[in-house]
Amino acid sequence: MLLEISARKPFHCEPCRQPSEENSNTPHHGVVLIAAGAGIFSLVKAEGLPPYPLAEPDYSSKRQLDFSAFEAALSGLDPNRIAVMDTLVAEVTLLELQVLMNNGQFSAEELVTYYVQRIRAYDMDKLNSVLELNPEALAFARDLDVERAAGTVRSPMHGIPVLFKDNIATGEGMHTTAGAWAMRDWQPSRDAFLVSQLREAGAIVLGKTNLSEWANYMDVDMPNGFSVLGGQTRNPYGPYGTLGSSSGSAVAAAANFAAVTVGTETQGSIILPAKINGVVGLKTSRGLVSRDHILPLVDWMDVPGPIGRTVSDVAVMLSAMTDEDEKDLVTFDAVEVAGTDYTQFLVAENAVGKKLGIVVQDNAFIDQMIADFELGEDSASQFRQAMIQSNDKVRMQATPFVDIGIELVEVSAAAMPSTPDLSAFIDYGFRSALDAFLTDLSDEAPVRSLAEIVDINSADSDNRAPYGQGYLESAMKSPLTPDEYAAQVAESMSVADDLGSLFEAYALDVLLSDSQIYAATGFPALTVPAGYGEDGQPEGIILIGDFLGEDNLIIIGYAYEQATQARQMPDLDKTISEIDSMVNR
């Protein structure tokens, strides 16, 4: 039940395009304010916005995938072998892939070829989740196969193909673009620190994933999942949104175009795409994984994190990603857990006795909200009923945790800290961070500033910014001074103390909540598939952990996943046929 409220107090909509639980296809702007669950105001779609799936705009800048380095290998992968690989690889975990490769069922080279074959069959000009393939992937795979044959397996990531979001720098001739035309030719001279770590652990850089351009900060009218170089990313489960900005990373993992992927998040950009595309996504604690050489949005909030089909895969990936990095001094805040093997927390029984907080609207909170919005008698009655139903829904969602043996702790919505309003400072933060990043590149930089990017787009906006570049232009006009920005950041980051106090006051291990309060605090969050709606759209639960509390997130998330077994493979043939029929009619 939704109750539309006429907002009598100022309401600042957040440019991250937070979706509502009720309609998560929704672009952020052009919305009405509603009363939603967990005491949090959410957003629903206003009339007149285009539904998903969206057709490609009429433009000419989309980059085509290059399969030339893989043609010989692909020609040797006949349909019978593909069918065998489908059976062997579908839905298995990274740990199970290691067993299969150790047993000689297939090699890393064949695994790379298999994924490339799937990308060519189901992604190119279809789901649009992959922006570029690494022409050196097969060579790296062969070297790792030689190591395995000689008895050396570096880690559970050995020989595992990984796709990286295309704002994470990768060297060796690949591009890193953030999906933007102005960045189309940048070939970083080195890897981001996290990419180097995964390579050292034996991972294979398979390629780069599409994203919502500039981490979803291009224009209010640009759909989630679109970039001018990658086109419109589409949900592998059907005509639903993909959300953003790590759209391609979530879709590629869900569709089995790679074993695992890496995304980045400012606020919701890993968790929400993973949730709506039916996979597991982990937004890491700030400092746990290095942010080095990643194109920024709001640099003090941005963090990378793993996306996979299972909690097990995310734990394996995370174990290879954490370490101190002198190029990102915030990683020294996580020194106590650097190098942790997170697979040790994949024990469902360890969840018994853990405390899970659920956010409910008690009577005092409901009365206060009614007073704040000056609701009349009839509206107040409807609002109260909606909040009671919301509480029932939250308690129902928590039932599987009770069955596992986890203790539920009801947290008053009044105790939840308010999510900081990014719109007050995101323009300045984006411009400042991006300009600093480009300056640090020196002669390697493809462009020198955000101002230059805006000018380049304006020279051919139909093909370089087909939905406009309103956010970029707005960022150029930010009136904030450096001191004012620093004050805004400090105020937003102080919410971490409030959230930490909440965990302490209620003695929580994990909080079950759709709130994005975790983002500004630097706390971690995990989403795990929870099933599918009546229309087939994937659904998921979101767990928030205490700072550096990834261990508890993995323990509880894994126990939930094992108890529910909610994830199902998408039927890509059916989805692509359905989407084609809708966008071409």
Side-chain angles (χ1 to χ4, degrees):
M1 177 179 180
L2 302 181
L3 172 66
E4 184 175 338
I5 300 174
S6 175
R8 293 180 171 84
K9 294 189 174 184
F11 174 69
H12 300 287
C13 59
E14 297 173 354
C16 64
R17 303 182 181 183
Q18 176 180 333
S20 73
E21 181 68 20
E22 293 77 17
N23 187 343
S24 49
N25 285 341
T26 306
H28 179 70
H29 292 259
V31 296
V32 294
L33 182 62
I34 62 161
I40 300 160
F41 285 107
S42 221
L43 303 167
V44 293
K45 187 174 182 180
E47 293 182 2
L49 292 175
Y52 283 91
L54 299 174
E56 297 282 351
D58 184 14
Y59 78 113
S60 62
S61 297
K62 185 176 178 181
R63 173 172 281 165
Q64 292 299 307
L65 290 174
D66 182 1
F67 294 92
S68 59
F70 304 94
E71 290 299 345
L74 289 169
S75 65
L77 194 64
D78 64 43
N80 290 332
R81 184 56 183 168
I82 292 172
V84 171
M85 291 291 288
D86 285 341
T87 301
L88 290 172
V89 173
E91 299 299 291
V92 301
T93 67
L94 297 183
L95 297 175
E96 291 167 335
L97 285 176
Q98 290 298 332
V99 172
L100 291 168
M101 285 192 282
N102 285 336
N103 290 342
Q105 297 279 61
F106 50 79
S107 64
E109 181 181 2
E110 187 174 27
L111 188 59
V112 166
T113 306
Y114 171 73
Y115 286 133
V116 171
Q117 171 271 142
R118 287 185 63 81
I119 291 167
R120 186 167 66 175
Y122 294 110
D123 195 60
M124 184 176 64
D125 295 327
K126 297 179 178 71
L127 297 184
N128 293 322
S129 69
V130 179
L131 238 176
E132 183 177 20
L133 293 169
N134 180 8
E136 301 298 323
L138 286 173
F140 288 125
R142 294 184 195 106
D143 290 344
L144 290 163
D145 286 334
V146 170
E147 289 185 18
R148 189 186 299 274
T152 297
V153 175
R154 302 185 192 184
S155 81
M157 290 301 301
H158 191 104
I160 300 297
V162 180
L163 287 166
F164 294 83
K165 186 177 178 180
D166 200 38
N167 60 350
I168 302 172
T170 48
E172 299 178 331
M174 296 193 69
H175 297 89
T176 299
T177 69
W181 195 88
M183 299 293 293
R184 71 195 184 285
D185 293 328
W186 184 39
Q187 295 174 296
S189 59
R190 67 173 180 90
D191 288 333
F193 183 79
L194 76 87
V195 177
S196 296
Q197 285 179 285
L198 285 165
R199 287 191 197 267
E200 290 172 7
I204 299 165
V205 178
L206 180 60
K208 309 299 284 290
T209 57
N210 199 8
L211 69 161
S212 305
E213 189 169 336
W214 289 119
N216 222 0
Y217 205 65
M218 183 66 178
D219 192 274
V220 61
D221 291 325
M222 188 192 79
N224 290 300
F226 177 82
S227 78
V228 75
L229 294 185
Q232 180 62 55
T233 307
R234 294 176 176 136
N235 195 307
Y237 285 91
Y240 321 116
T242 60
L243 299 183
S245 63
S246 301
S247 317
S249 295
V251 170
N256 202 19
F257 296 149
V260 279
T261 67
V262 180
T264 65
E265 171 156 341
T266 305
Q267 183 168 314
S269 294
I270 288 175
I271 294 299
L272 297 179
K275 178 182 177 183
I276 201 172
N277 289 286
V279 288
V280 179
L282 175 65
K283 182 270 178 189
T284 54
S285 296
R286 184 169 52 239
L288 185 61
V289 180
S290 173
R291 303 164 301 172
D292 164 62
H293 228 28
I294 298 175
L295 284 159
L297 177 53
V298 182
D299 53 4
W300 62 272
M301 286 179 66
D302 298 343
V303 295
I307 298 175
R309 289 179 291 280
T310 66
V311 176
S312 172
D313 292 347
V314 164
V316 170
M317 276 276 281
L318 184 63
S319 301
M321 295 170 71
T322 65
D323 204 355
E324 303 161 24
D325 177 17
E326 293 184 355
K327 294 185 290 296
D328 183 7
L329 297 181
V330 178
T331 56
F332 288 86
D333 294 342
V335 63
E336 63 189 85
V337 294
T340 297
D341 179 2
Y342 284 92
T343 63
Q344 66 182 292
F345 305 115
L346 298 171
V347 182
E349 292 78 9
N350 289 353
V352 175
K354 293 286 186 181
K355 293 186 177 181
L356 176 77
I358 60 171
V359 183
V360 297
Q361 286 81 204
D362 55 22
N363 287 330
F365 175 80
I366 295 172
D367 290 342
Q368 185 61 54
M369 294 295 290
I370 289 172
D372 284 349
F373 285 95
E374 303 174 18
L375 299 182
E377 183 176 347
D378 289 344
S379 293
S381 176
Q382 293 179 50
F383 180 83
R384 189 178 300 279
Q385 184 61 33
M387 293 298 94
I388 291 172
Q389 291 181 6
S390 174
N391 288 342
D392 291 343
K393 179 181 177 181
V394 170
R395 293 185 180 108
M396 181 67 69
Q397 188 181 43
T399 300
F401 295 99
V402 176
D403 296 340
I404 292 166
I406 293 172
E407 179 183 345
L408 291 191
V409 179
E410 294 198 350
V411 176
S412 170
M416 284 289 290
S418 298
T419 302
D421 178 14
L422 283 186
S423 64
F425 56 79
I426 189 172
D427 278 347
Y428 181 93
F430 176 50
R431 185 187 72 208
S432 175
L434 182 59
D435 283 355
F437 183 93
L438 295 171
T439 297
D440 287 345
L441 292 181
S442 189
D443 292 341
E444 185 183 316
V447 289
R448 300 296 180 182
S449 66
L450 177 60
E452 184 178 347
I453 292 167
V454 169
D455 288 343
I456 289 171
N457 287 340
S458 297
D460 186 6
S461 58
D462 288 347
N463 291 306
R464 300 172 188 176
Y467 291 104
Q469 56 175 342
Y471 289 147
L472 303 190
E473 293 168 347
S474 176
M476 291 303 304
K477 302 173 184 176
S478 172
L480 288 185
T481 66
D483 287 344
E484 289 170 337
Y485 177 67
Q488 293 271 14
V489 170
E491 181 180 349
S492 297
M493 293 181 73
S494 70
V495 179
D497 295 332
D498 298 333
L499 188 56
S501 296
L502 180 78
F503 271 83
E504 183 177 357
Y506 286 90
L508 301 179
D509 293 301
V510 165
L511 180 68
L512 176 69
S513 174
D514 286 346
S515 168
Q516 293 178 359
I517 183 63
Y518 63 83
T521 64
F523 285 30
L526 179 77
T527 185
V528 181
Y532 302 84
E534 292 182 2
D535 63 350
Q537 178 175 296
E539 298 175 348
I541 52 104
I542 299 175
L543 303 172
I544 300 173
D546 203 349
F547 182 63
L548 299 181
E550 278 81 356
D551 54 349
N552 281 325
L553 285 176
I554 290 171
I555 289 170
I556 293 175
Y558 180 75
Y560 175 88
E561 175 188 69
Q562 296 305 299
T564 59
Q565 297 291 310
R567 175 178 155 81
Q568 301 172 14
M569 288 176 57
D571 185 337
L572 299 187
D573 291 312
K574 177 182 177 183
T575 293
I576 291 168
S577 175
E578 183 177 9
I579 289 174
D580 284 347
S581 67
M582 295 179 75
V583 300
N584 294 325
R585 65 188 176 190

